[in-house]
Amino acid sequence: MSLSKRVVETLIDLVEIKLSCMEIYDREDTREVVALEQCKAELQALRQGGKAAATAAVVAFAGRPRGRTRAAVG
């Protein structure tokens, strides 16, 4: 999967906007900020086309969702 430079720059902008709107109240918020900062760093590496981008691979995320699950209504 390849992304154009314009798409990568747009994604970086979106991550930066999300980070600027974040208010940290608990550990889950902190985890999300850390994940967004990591995402931003990876996108910037892709944009720069450096060594990190050459070794980067798209990996499917198979983890379970974090946080509380909603109770069934019934």
Side-chain angles (χ1 to χ4, degrees), residues 19 22-37:
L19 282 168
M22 290 289 302
E23 293 184 14
I24 300 174
Y25 293 109
D26 56 15
R27 289 183 197 165
E28 184 64 30
D29 294 338
T30 304
R31 283 188 206 112
E32 186 172 354
V33 167
V34 169
L36 286 168
E37 288 172 346

Side-chain angles (χ1 to χ4, degrees), residues 43-74:
L43 287 168
Q44 288 173 333
L46 281 173
R47 180 178 62 187
Q48 294 171 355
K51 280 186 176 181
T55 59
V58 177
V59 179
F61 180 75
R64 66 174 182 81
R66 295 183 182 235
R68 298 179 186 169
T69 58
R70 294 185 180 188
V73 178

